Amino acid sequence: MKNRPAIYLTNLLIINFLPILFSQAQIINPADAAKNGAVNRTNNNIYNGVDKGLNAVEQGIGGLFKKKPKEEQKNNNNSNASSESKVSNQNNTGNSGNIAVRDSSQNGKQSLKAYSNYDFVAGQKIIFDDNFKDDQDGEFASHWDLENGQAVLNKLNGDLVFKITDGNYGAVKPLMKGKNYLPKEFTLEFDHYELPEAYGIVVWFKNEEDAEIMKFMVNNGGANIYYQNEGEGKDLDAKLPEEIAFDNYRNKWHHIAMIVKGRNIKIYVDQYRVLNVPNNSAIPTKVFFGGIGNNENPIIFKNVKIAEGGGMNMVGKAFTDGKYISHGIRFDVNKAIIKPESMGEINGIVKILQENTTLKFEIGGHTDADGDDNSNLKLSQARADAVKKELVGLGIDASRLTTKGYGETKPIDDNNTFEGKANNRRVEFIKQ
C-alpha cells in the first residue's frame, strides 16, 4: 500500500514507547496527508478529524481502526485456518477486476433469530436507496459522484459492489438533486465487506457550509465516531463484540446502520448497537463514503439507503393512527426472503400487537413499476405472506392478520424517479 514503509517505521517508533496501547496504530505519512489536503490543524473540518490518525498517537484515540501488525494478522489467520474465508484471483478475474471469494458465512447472511433483540428502525421516507441494479460491471455507479480518488463497480460473489480503488481517503457521494439533502433526523444503512488486508470504511458528513463536521469508521476491530460538538471535536470509540470482530469480520458482509435523532446518534454493526452518542450538536446535510483503498485491497460496500425519520416510537404512533407504512422491512432482490436487518422494525410491530391485543391488520405488499405487472403482483403477495409468517412465528395470532399483494397498482410516489421507486417498494399495515 502507498507510503507503507513510512507507516511501519512510525509504528515501530510508537510501539517502542507504547507497546500495548498502540499496537494497532496506523500512521498516515504527514507529507502525503498534507498533500491530499488531509492535514490542516487550523481548519474546523472533518479532515481535522481524519488527521487525528496522528493525534491518536498522542491521545490514545482511534486505534481500533488501524491495520493490525503483520505478525498479529498472521497468528490470527493461522488460528482459524480451517474456517477463515480466503481471497483468490483478486487481479486475474477479467478486465473488470472482479473479486472471487469463498464466503464462510453463506454470503455473509445471518439468521433472523440472530437479530431477535435488534431495535434499529429505519426512517419512513426514502431519500436515497441504491443496490446498483441499474448499473453495469466495470463502470462507475450511475447514481453517484466521485469526490476523491478512484472508484468502480465490480462483482463480488455475483453481486455488484462499489469499490474505492485509489486515494489516501478516496470518497464517493450520492448524486442528489439538492446540495443539502439530509434532514435533521435520518437513518443511514449500507453493507460493508472487508478483505483481510484492507482498511476499514469511513463515512463523512458535511454541513450547509460544506465544512466536514462528522465522520464514523468501522473495521474488523471496532467502530469510532468523531464529531464537532459546539465547535469542539470529540472522539468516541468501541470494540466490536467478539462474535463479529477480527477474523469473524473479514471476508463477510456486515450490515451497518446509523440513526441521527435529536441530539442522539446510534451506530449498529449487524445486530449489535456498538456506539451511542448522547449529546451530539453536529447538523450534517450531506454524506460521503470511502477510505484508504487500492486495487488489491479496495474499500467495498453496497445497498446504501438513507431515509428521513426513524426510531421505534414512530411504529407505535402509526399503528395508533391505523396505518403504518414500512420501508424498513426489506427483502432479497426479486424474492420474498426477509433480510435480517428488518427485524428491528418487525420486533417493534410485534411489541405493539402484543400490547394491543384487539388490533387486527391487513398486511399489504407493494412494488415499484419495474418489471412485469403479473410478476410484481405475485411477488408482493409472497412478501406480504412472508411478513405474516414471521409475525405468527413470534407469537402473534394468525387470525389477527390478513395479507394482500397489490403489486404496482397503488403507488405513493413517482415511479419515474429513482427515489420515487424506492418509496413505492413497501409493506403497509392497515387497521381492520
Side-chain angles (χ1 to χ4, degrees), residues 148-184:
N148 187 45
Q150 290 295 314
V152 67
L153 286 171
N154 283 150
K155 286 187 177 181
L156 189 155
N157 288 340
D159 293 334
L160 276 180
V161 302
F162 221 157
K163 300 194 306 185
I164 307 297
T165 59
D166 185 38
N168 194 347
Y169 293 103
V172 294
K173 60 184 179 182
L175 191 60
M176 306 295 288
K177 293 179 180 178
K179 184 178 179 181
N180 299 299
Y181 50 86
L182 291 178
K184 288 185 177 180

Coordinates of all heavy atoms in Angstrom, one line a residue, residues 148-184:
N148 N -13.2 12.1 -4.6 CA -11.7 12.0 -4.5 C -11.2 10.6 -4.8 O -11.9 9.6 -4.5 CB -11.2 12.4 -3.1 CG -9.7 12.5 -3.0 OD1 -9.1 13.1 -3.8 ND2 -9.1 11.9 -1.9
G149 N -10.1 10.4 -5.4 CA -9.5 9.1 -5.7 C -10.2 8.5 -6.9 O -10.5 9.2 -7.8
Q150 N -10.3 7.2 -6.8 CA -10.9 6.4 -7.9 C -11.9 5.3 -7.3 O -11.6 4.8 -6.3 CB -9.9 5.7 -8.8 CG -9.1 6.7 -9.7 CD -9.9 7.4 -10.7 OE1 -10.7 6.8 -11.4 NE2 -9.8 8.7 -10.8
A151 N -12.9 5.0 -8.1 CA -13.9 4.0 -7.6 C -14.5 3.3 -8.9 O -14.6 3.9 -9.9 CB -14.9 4.6 -6.8
V152 N -15.0 2.1 -8.7 CA -15.6 1.4 -9.8 C -16.6 0.3 -9.2 O -16.4 -0.1 -8.1 CB -14.5 0.7 -10.6 CG1 -13.8 -0.4 -9.8 CG2 -15.0 0.1 -11.9
L153 N -17.5 0.0 -10.1 CA -18.4 -1.1 -9.7 C -17.9 -2.4 -10.3 O -17.5 -2.5 -11.5 CB -19.8 -0.9 -10.3 CG -20.7 0.1 -9.6 CD1 -22.0 0.4 -10.5 CD2 -21.1 -0.3 -8.2
N154 N -17.8 -3.5 -9.4 CA -17.4 -4.8 -9.9 C -18.2 -5.8 -9.2 O -18.9 -5.5 -8.2 CB -15.9 -5.1 -9.6 CG -14.9 -4.4 -10.6 OD1 -13.8 -4.0 -10.2 ND2 -15.4 -4.2 -11.8
K155 N -18.1 -7.1 -9.6 CA -18.9 -8.1 -9.0 C -18.1 -8.8 -7.9 O -16.9 -9.1 -8.0 CB -19.4 -9.1 -10.0 CG -20.5 -8.6 -10.9 CD -21.1 -9.7 -11.8 CE -22.3 -9.1 -12.6 NZ -22.9 -10.2 -13.4
L156 N -18.8 -9.1 -6.8 CA -18.2 -10.0 -5.7 C -19.3 -11.0 -5.4 O -20.4 -10.7 -5.0 CB -17.9 -9.1 -4.5 CG -17.1 -9.8 -3.4 CD1 -16.4 -8.8 -2.5 CD2 -18.1 -10.6 -2.4
N157 N -18.9 -12.3 -5.6 CA -19.9 -13.4 -5.5 C -21.2 -13.1 -6.2 O -22.3 -13.5 -5.8 CB -20.2 -13.6 -4.0 CG -19.0 -14.2 -3.3 OD1 -18.1 -14.8 -3.9 ND2 -19.0 -14.1 -2.0
G158 N -21.1 -12.5 -7.4 CA -22.2 -12.4 -8.3 C -23.0 -11.1 -8.1 O -23.8 -10.7 -9.0
D159 N -22.7 -10.3 -7.1 CA -23.4 -9.1 -6.8 C -22.5 -7.9 -7.2 O -21.3 -7.9 -6.9 CB -23.8 -8.9 -5.4 CG -24.9 -9.9 -5.0 OD1 -25.6 -10.4 -5.9 OD2 -25.0 -10.3 -3.8
L160 N -23.1 -6.8 -7.8 CA -22.3 -5.6 -8.0 C -22.1 -4.9 -6.7 O -23.0 -4.7 -5.8 CB -23.1 -4.7 -8.9 CG -23.0 -4.9 -10.4 CD1 -23.8 -3.9 -11.2 CD2 -21.5 -4.9 -10.9
V161 N -20.8 -4.5 -6.5 CA -20.4 -3.7 -5.3 C -19.6 -2.5 -5.7 O -19.0 -2.5 -6.8 CB -19.6 -4.6 -4.3 CG1 -20.4 -5.9 -4.0 CG2 -18.2 -5.0 -5.0
F162 N -19.6 -1.5 -4.9 CA -18.8 -0.3 -5.1 C -17.5 -0.5 -4.4 O -17.4 -0.9 -3.3 CB -19.5 0.9 -4.5 CG -19.4 2.1 -5.3 CD1 -20.3 3.2 -5.1 CD2 -18.4 2.3 -6.2 CE1 -20.3 4.3 -5.9 CE2 -18.3 3.5 -7.0 CZ -19.3 4.5 -6.9
K163 N -16.4 -0.3 -5.2 CA -15.0 -0.4 -4.7 C -14.3 0.9 -4.8 O -14.2 1.5 -5.8 CB -14.3 -1.5 -5.5 CG -14.9 -2.9 -5.4 CD -13.9 -3.9 -6.0 CE -13.4 -3.6 -7.3 NZ -12.5 -4.7 -7.9
I164 N -13.8 1.4 -3.6 CA -12.8 2.5 -3.6 C -11.5 2.0 -3.9 O -10.9 1.2 -3.1 CB -12.9 3.3 -2.3 CG1 -14.3 3.7 -1.9 CG2 -12.0 4.5 -2.4 CD1 -15.0 4.6 -2.9
T165 N -10.9 2.2 -5.1 CA -9.7 1.6 -5.5 C -8.4 2.4 -5.5 O -7.3 1.9 -5.7 CB -9.9 1.1 -7.0 OG1 -10.1 2.2 -7.8 CG2 -11.0 0.1 -7.1
D166 N -8.6 3.7 -5.1 CA -7.4 4.6 -5.1 C -7.7 5.8 -4.3 O -8.8 6.3 -4.2 CB -7.0 5.0 -6.5 CG -5.7 5.8 -6.5 OD1 -4.8 5.5 -5.8 OD2 -5.6 6.8 -7.3
G167 N -6.7 6.3 -3.5 CA -6.8 7.5 -2.8 C -6.5 7.3 -1.3 O -7.0 6.4 -0.7
N168 N -5.7 8.3 -0.8 CA -5.5 8.4 0.6 C -6.7 9.1 1.2 O -6.6 10.3 1.5 CB -4.1 9.1 0.9 CG -3.7 8.9 2.4 OD1 -4.5 8.4 3.2 ND2 -2.5 9.2 2.6
Y169 N -7.7 8.4 1.4 CA -9.1 8.8 1.6 C -9.8 9.1 0.3 O -10.1 10.3 0.0 CB -9.2 9.9 2.6 CG -8.8 9.4 4.0 CD1 -7.6 9.8 4.5 CD2 -9.7 8.6 4.7 CE1 -7.2 9.3 5.8 CE2 -9.3 8.1 6.0 CZ -8.0 8.5 6.5 OH -7.7 8.0 7.7
G170 N -10.0 8.1 -0.5 CA -10.8 8.2 -1.7 C -12.3 8.3 -1.2 O -12.6 7.8 -0.2
A171 N -13.1 9.0 -2.0 CA -14.5 9.1 -1.5 C -15.5 9.3 -2.7 O -15.2 9.9 -3.7 CB -14.6 10.4 -0.6
V172 N -16.7 8.7 -2.5 CA -17.8 8.9 -3.4 C -19.0 9.4 -2.6 O -19.0 9.3 -1.4 CB -18.2 7.6 -4.1 CG1 -17.0 7.1 -5.0 CG2 -18.5 6.5 -3.1
K173 N -20.0 10.0 -3.4 CA -21.1 10.6 -2.7 C -22.4 10.3 -3.5 O -22.3 10.2 -4.8 CB -20.9 12.1 -2.5 CG -20.7 12.9 -3.8 CD -20.5 14.4 -3.5 CE -20.2 15.2 -4.7 NZ -19.9 16.6 -4.5
P174 N -23.5 10.2 -2.9 CA -24.8 10.0 -3.6 C -25.0 11.2 -4.6 O -24.8 12.4 -4.2 CB -25.9 10.0 -2.5 CG -25.1 9.5 -1.3 CD -23.8 10.1 -1.4
L175 N -25.5 11.0 -5.7 CA -25.8 12.0 -6.7 C -27.2 12.5 -6.5 O -28.2 11.9 -6.9 CB -25.6 11.5 -8.1 CG -25.7 12.5 -9.3 CD1 -24.5 13.5 -9.1 CD2 -25.5 11.8 -10.6
M176 N -27.4 13.6 -5.8 CA -28.7 14.1 -5.3 C -29.1 15.4 -6.1 O -28.2 16.1 -6.6 CB -28.6 14.4 -3.8 CG -28.2 13.2 -3.0 SD -29.3 11.8 -3.1 CE -30.7 12.4 -2.1
K177 N -30.3 15.7 -6.1 CA -30.8 16.9 -6.8 C -30.4 18.2 -6.0 O -30.0 19.2 -6.6 CB -32.3 16.8 -6.9 CG -32.8 15.7 -7.8 CD -34.3 15.7 -7.9 CE -34.8 14.6 -8.8 NZ -36.3 14.5 -8.9
G178 N -30.6 18.1 -4.7 CA -30.3 19.3 -3.9 C -28.9 19.2 -3.2 O -28.4 18.1 -3.0
K179 N -28.3 20.3 -2.9 CA -27.0 20.3 -2.3 C -27.0 19.8 -0.9 O -26.1 19.1 -0.4 CB -26.4 21.7 -2.4 CG -24.9 21.8 -1.9 CD -24.4 23.2 -2.0 CE -23.0 23.3 -1.5 NZ -22.4 24.7 -1.6
N180 N -28.0 20.2 -0.2 CA -28.2 19.8 1.2 C -29.5 19.0 1.3 O -30.6 19.5 1.3 CB -28.3 21.1 2.1 CG -27.0 21.9 2.0 OD1 -26.0 21.5 2.4 ND2 -27.2 23.2 1.6
Y181 N -29.3 17.7 1.5 CA -30.5 16.8 1.4 C -30.8 16.0 2.6 O -31.8 15.4 2.7 CB -30.2 15.8 0.2 CG -28.9 15.1 0.2 CD1 -28.7 14.0 0.9 CD2 -27.8 15.7 -0.5 CE1 -27.5 13.3 0.9 CE2 -26.6 15.0 -0.5 CZ -26.4 13.9 0.2 OH -25.2 13.3 0.3
L182 N -29.9 16.0 3.6 CA -30.1 15.2 4.8 C -31.0 16.0 5.7 O -30.7 17.2 6.1 CB -28.8 14.9 5.5 CG -27.9 13.9 4.9 CD1 -26.6 13.7 5.7 CD2 -28.6 12.5 4.6
P183 N -32.2 15.4 6.2 CA -33.0 16.1 7.2 C -32.3 16.1 8.5 O -31.3 15.4 8.7 CB -34.3 15.3 7.2 CG -33.8 13.9 6.7 CD -32.7 14.1 5.8
K184 N -32.9 16.8 9.5 CA -32.3 16.8 10.8 C -32.3 15.4 11.5 O -31.5 15.1 12.3 CB -33.1 17.8 11.7 CG -32.8 19.3 11.3 CD -33.4 20.2 12.3 CE -33.1 21.7 11.9 NZ -33.7 22.7 12.8

